[in-house]
Amino acid sequence: MTGQDRPEPSAGGPGRWVLLSYRLPREPSTPRITIWRKLKRLGVAQISDGLIALPADARTREHLEWTAEEITDFGGTATVWIAHPASTEEERRLARTMADARTAEYQQVLAQAEQTRALGAEERQRIVRKLRAELRRIHRRDYFPPPVRRAAEAAVAALHPANDPTEESA
């Protein structure tokens, strides 16, 4: 989802959201854990137990449809819905919840980048690769980018030797 595709939660009333309502048997627990991890990777907002939401676009709808199929394959029930929150305030609350979750993730990247600054060039480059990969994973589920996103990206970019004035050119 690009920035232009993302719904604006405060612009002209609530936007469209894709919802997944699902139930899975308690035992065995592996399918429940598998589905929850998948939903976390997608960055869903949990509305209630067994009901999650994402801003609606072709990608998020497709992901939730695939997840619904997987749930039924595990012996559960699942239904995908397209809906509008009843109020703009409700949509803002969902967006804030999602942005807060991403804020925590970006803050972890920022803290790791700060700790990495003191390391030697070789170790720092290894960690920079990991941090860049983590930023890409976070970006995929970042539907309402928080301000700390730019700070985390800048902190990781600053770790590159070309951006470090203390590093000698080879």
Side-chain angles (χ1 to χ4, degrees), residues 53-69:
L54 285 171
D57 72 7
R59 182 181 72 94
T60 57
R61 183 175 178 170
E62 184 173 51
H63 280 297
L64 291 187
E65 286 171 350
W66 289 339
T67 304
E69 286 179 29

Side-chain angles (χ1 to χ4, degrees), residues 73-139:
D73 290 346
F74 284 139
T77 59
T79 307
V80 175
W81 299 81
I82 301 297
H84 295 273
S87 70
T88 301
E89 184 51 39
E90 183 62 24
E91 184 170 47
R92 284 187 189 128
R93 186 189 64 73
L94 283 173
R96 265 193 313 272
T97 299
M98 295 171 84
D100 289 349
R102 300 305 76 79
T103 294
E105 293 173 351
Y106 285 124
Q107 286 173 334
Q108 287 179 337
V109 169
L110 191 56
Q112 290 173 355
E114 291 299 320
Q115 293 170 352
T116 301
R117 295 175 82 179
L119 299 175
E122 188 174 310
E123 180 70 6
R124 186 171 57 224
Q125 283 310 106
R126 185 184 64 76
I127 294 173
V128 164
R129 283 191 297 276
K130 289 171 113 177
L131 291 175
R132 285 181 179 155
E134 180 61 15
L135 282 173
R136 284 190 300 274
R137 283 188 291 275
I138 297 168
H139 287 169

Side-chain angles (χ1 to χ4, degrees), residues 135-149:
L135 282 173
R136 284 190 300 274
R137 283 188 291 275
I138 297 168
H139 287 169
R140 284 193 294 268
R141 61 182 169 263
D142 188 1
Y143 303 97
F144 304 100
V148 72
R149 175 181 176 160

